[in-house]
Amino acid sequence: MNLFPSIEKAYTKDTLSARDAQRLAEFIAFGPIVFQASRLMLKFGILERLRDKPMKLQEVAQAAGLSEYAAKVLLEASLSIGTVIIDAATDEYHLSKTGWFLLTDPATRANIDFNHDVNYEGFFRMEEALKEGRPAGLEHFGPWPTIYEGLSSLPKQVQDSWFGFDHFYSDHSFSEALPIVFEHKPRRIMDVGGNTGRFSQQCVAYDPAVEMAIVDLPQQIGLMKAATAGDPNAGRIHGFGTNLLDPENGFPEDIHPDAIWMSQFLDCFSEPQILSILQRAVKVMDSRTRLFIMETFWDRQKYEPASFCLTMTSLYFTVMANGNSKMYHSDDMSRLVEEAGLEIEAIHDGIGQGHSIMVCKKK
């Protein structure tokens, strides 16, 4: 298995002492409690106040509008979690380094909201999802076969956290991706799985001559049209509603794209489904067309915490999204690309929040 250096160092050797390993095991055992206590330390503004100045128990309780009992159990739990420390001489609580990251790192905040609002209750059914190959946890929200059919019907807070998670990781990559996509001055770009049209909006702003064709579920095309309605360039963004899970549904044949863009799209499908989608993409490509696959491959991350987030996100796909997809290792994606009749021309790493872009052409 190929791994970037920092990932290989973390995942091929057991480096913890016995005592540290035992503590991590207990941390896992109490994981749901750790999560909720830490989330509430954020929600009640306690970590933010401790960043500004050290505080005693009574001050924390008063500032947060909590009883001294409630503040005490949260603070003592946070000592054990490691998000706060205490000065034993003054009994004042301080923010720790871990607490600082929990408070200020935007990726961590997006992950917390996503896991609480979208995943938390549904994850009680992970065992069922793994055994049956379906998103059993999604039934917490509705009867849809995948979360994508139900996105427009989810409660607003859940929608906000889902899109906040999705957009955080993609939006930070788009500006760096644009020069790669526009290197050969494409005039027609097919944005597959374009969601609410955020990448297409950036493309039409980047190049006044480009025409965008978003291919996504009919429900998503409706959301896209609403989201882009006020954009002065919206006339160059076109929607094509189709369900690409159905192997009988091909890509629009009258577009003749110079480029096909798939950002955080193929991770929504199983390997057989990815192969089918890529094979159908090949049918609308010619020798000049380039297919750009932007994904956060868990093996190509510069730092291990990013790989941790990605392998955990795979289980979101298992339990909540569709029951059969994941965040892929780049070797698996490369194999599927080759099987579909494509070859990889280049791979650009370190795009935005840990994305890689595979540039593919027809064999």
Side-chain angles (χ1 to χ4, degrees):
M1 177 182 286
N2 294 315
L3 301 169
F4 270 24
S6 65
I7 314 304
E8 183 176 12
K9 181 179 179 181
Y11 291 176
T12 60
K13 292 180 175 59
D14 194 349
T15 59
L16 293 180
S17 68
R19 187 63 65 201
D20 287 340
Q22 182 187 36
R23 188 186 194 284
L24 181 57
E26 294 293 1
F27 201 89
I28 293 168
F30 282 91
I33 300 172
V34 169
F35 175 81
Q36 290 294 358
S38 300
R39 185 184 70 84
L40 291 175
M41 288 286 283
L42 287 167
K43 182 176 181 179
F44 295 149
I46 297 173
L47 294 183
E48 185 174 9
R49 292 184 177 93
L50 293 180
R51 176 187 59 183
D52 297 336
K53 66 174 184 176
M55 299 176 73
K56 293 186 176 182
L57 167 65
Q58 295 81 1
E59 295 175 294
V60 170
Q62 183 176 12
L66 298 172
S67 68
E68 286 193 17
Y69 164 78
K72 179 178 284 189
V73 293
L74 278 177
L75 286 166
E76 290 176 352
S78 298
L79 283 173
S80 297
I81 293 166
T83 53
V84 303
I85 55 176
I86 192 168
D87 185 329
T90 64
D91 287 341
E92 289 181 322
Y93 290 90
H94 299 249
L95 189 69
S96 71
K97 291 188 185 74
T98 300
W100 185 87
F101 277 105
L102 196 67
L103 178 64
T104 63
D105 179 40
T108 302
R109 296 298 293 267
N111 291 340
I112 286 174
D113 291 342
F114 177 67
N115 282 318
H116 177 67
D117 294 324
V118 180
N119 294 331
Y120 199 84
E121 293 178 274
F123 261 63
F124 190 77
R125 299 179 68 177
M126 184 190 293
E127 181 177 357
E128 189 177 341
L130 288 165
K131 289 182 175 179
E132 299 179 8
R134 66 182 185 88
L138 182 58
E139 292 176 11
H140 172 70
F141 292 118
W144 315 288
T146 74
I147 200 169
Y148 310 108
E149 287 94 334
L151 271 180
S152 60
S153 302
L154 291 174
K156 185 179 185 307
Q157 181 63 38
V158 180
Q159 278 191 23
D160 289 346
S161 293
W162 191 94
F163 282 112
F165 177 83
D166 181 73
H167 291 163
F168 174 81
Y169 287 97
S170 60
D171 287 2
H172 286 77
S173 305
F174 288 163
S175 61
E176 296 177 43
L178 288 170
I180 297 171
V181 174
F182 280 89
E183 181 180 0
H184 299 295
K185 301 188 183 330
R187 296 283 70 99
R188 297 173 302 279
I189 299 177
M190 188 182 292
D191 184 357
V192 183
N195 213 323
T196 55
R198 292 167 82 93
F199 179 72
S200 287
Q201 284 183 286
Q202 293 206 23
C203 286
V204 292
Y206 187 85
D207 186 331
V210 74
E211 295 281 336
M212 301 298 300
I214 295 180
V215 180
D216 210 327
L217 291 167
Q219 303 97 307
Q220 292 304 108
I221 296 300
L223 290 175
M224 178 275 291
K225 289 181 177 179
T228 61
D231 191 322
N233 297 310
R236 290 186 284 124
I237 302 175
H238 314 284
F240 297 84
T242 187
N243 181 4
L244 290 174
L245 268 176
D246 186 342
E248 298 300 316
N249 292 339
F251 290 91
E253 295 183 357
D254 57 347
I255 295 173
H256 307 294
D258 303 305
I260 299 175
W261 172 254
M262 297 181 180
S263 171
Q264 294 181 189
F265 173 69
L266 294 179
D267 55 44
C268 300
F269 302 95
S270 68
E271 289 195 16
Q273 290 166 342
I274 291 173
L275 179 59
S276 172
I277 290 168
L278 291 176
Q279 288 171 332
R280 280 175 274 160
V282 168
K283 292 180 179 179
V284 298
M285 295 173 65
D286 59 29
S287 61
R288 296 171 302 168
T289 312
R290 293 298 179 267
L291 188 152
F292 299 88
I293 298 171
M294 188 167 83
E295 289 287 348
T296 43
F297 298 115
W298 70 260
D299 62 300
R300 302 182 75 91
Q301 300 303 307
K302 186 176 181 180
Y303 301 112
E304 190 280 332
S307 295
F308 171 83
C309 292
L310 293 171
T311 56
M312 295 302 106
T313 301
S314 286
L315 291 168
Y316 147 76
F317 287 108
T318 303
V319 182
M320 302 299 298
N322 54 39
N324 59 13
S325 74
K326 64 192 292 292
M327 306 306 292
Y328 285 96
H329 189 291
S330 62
D331 286 354
D332 294 327
M333 190 64 69
S334 299
R335 171 174 45 81
L336 294 166
V337 165
E338 292 285 336
E339 288 182 29
L342 296 161
E343 60 181 84
I344 298 172
E345 190 173 60
I347 301 179
H348 302 269
D349 293 311
I351 306 294
Q353 292 287 325
H355 284 82
S356 299
I357 296 178
M358 284 184 174
V359 185
C360 308
K361 64 180 181 179
K362 194 172 183 178
K363 285 183 180 178

